[in-house]
Amino acid sequence: MKKLIAEFIGTLWLVLGGCGSAVLAAAYPELGIGFAGVSLAFGLTVVTMAYAIGHISGCHLNPAVSIGLWIGGRFDKNELLPYIAAQVLGGIAGAGILYLIATGKSGFEVGGFAANGYAEHSPGGYSMLSALVTEIVMTFMFLIIILGATHSKAPKGFAGLAIGLGLTLIHLISIPVTNTSVNPARSTSQAIFAGGWAIEQLWLFWVAPIIGAIFAGLIYKFISPEND
């Protein structure tokens, strides 16, 4: 139960910090943080939580991460579904808090609410195929970073930094394509509040990250198994 509470809180923080920066600060007149600021915000949520709850739950904060770690032989399959449930619920709670804050401003419209999308709902107008490839490849690389940084032979104490910086880089690359998901819990939380098209396109932001995570788990387990 303690692990699940930690995953709930951590995913709440990821959504509130990352998506909150996009909704509240990215386009602020003259002082907005833009894509680079949002990318850094997502990375910082992971870095901070890695050191806050990593020793409790492993700080997955992401169903794709849990699945990739399971495939890679680093996570107990019996904990997989409870972790995913805690992550999704934590993400929804974070989005709910963000909604309460954002709607406190007169004239605020929910709009996309930092939801992930493709085609006309891609920030740069990228196609469904572009979105699919981007999310698979970015999640694959994210899991490679995670599996490598947390390997028993990796330098100790730096995993949180490597993973957080990796997520920052992923956002710098892919925000224009999909608003960057690589995390089904993050996508679900925002889609619920954005509604409409965001719900209709949500399938891609579950399918693609899971595919990328499975590939990464299989490949990293082959190239660097823990029992070497």
Side-chain angles (χ1 to χ4, degrees), residues 103-203:
T103 53
K105 180 180 179 180
S106 178
F108 173 78
E109 295 182 3
V110 173
F113 204 58
N116 302 114
Y118 53 84
E120 66 269 29
H121 302 295
S122 157
Y126 288 86
S127 69
M128 183 180 73
L129 179 59
S130 293
L132 188 66
V133 172
T134 297
E135 290 294 327
I136 290 174
V137 173
M138 294 300 155
T139 310
F140 173 86
M141 293 308 304
F142 190 37
L143 264 294
I144 292 293
I145 294 167
I146 292 169
L147 288 161
T150 59
H151 195 281
S152 60
K153 296 181 180 179
K156 305 301 179 185
F158 295 100
L161 288 174
I163 295 166
L165 289 172
L167 188 61
T168 299
L169 176 57
I170 285 166
H171 278 77
L172 287 170
I173 297 167
S174 59
I175 286 178
V177 184
T178 62
N179 246 352
T180 309
S181 171
V182 303
N183 185 338
R186 169 262 191 270
S187 297
T188 300
S189 65
Q190 303 313 114
I192 286 173
F193 286 87
W197 65 264
I199 296 291
E200 293 173 3
Q201 296 189 356
L202 181 59
W203 67 270

Side-chain angles (χ1 to χ4, degrees), residues 1 8 14 17-18 28 32 44 50 72 77 85 87 96-97 101 140 148 172-173 182 191 195 209 215-216 218 220 224:
M1 180 59 71
F8 178 94
L14 182 143
Y28 203 86
L44 288 173
K77 66 179 181 180
Q87 292 155 2
I97 293 170
I101 295 170
F140 173 86
L172 287 170
I173 297 167
V182 303
F215 282 150
L218 291 171
Y220 205 89
S224 186

Side-chain angles (χ1 to χ4, degrees), residues 60-129:
H60 296 188
L61 317 185
N62 182 339
V65 170
S66 297
I67 290 169
L69 291 173
W70 166 54
I71 294 293
R74 306 277 194 86
F75 188 56
D76 185 351
K77 66 179 181 180
N78 293 324
E79 294 188 281
L80 186 60
L81 290 180
Y83 260 57
I84 291 174
Q87 292 155 2
V88 171
L89 291 174
I92 293 170
I97 293 170
L98 175 58
Y99 180 82
L100 289 175
I101 295 170
T103 53
K105 180 180 179 180
S106 178
F108 173 78
E109 295 182 3
V110 173
F113 204 58
N116 302 114
Y118 53 84
E120 66 269 29
H121 302 295
S122 157
Y126 288 86
S127 69
M128 183 180 73
L129 179 59

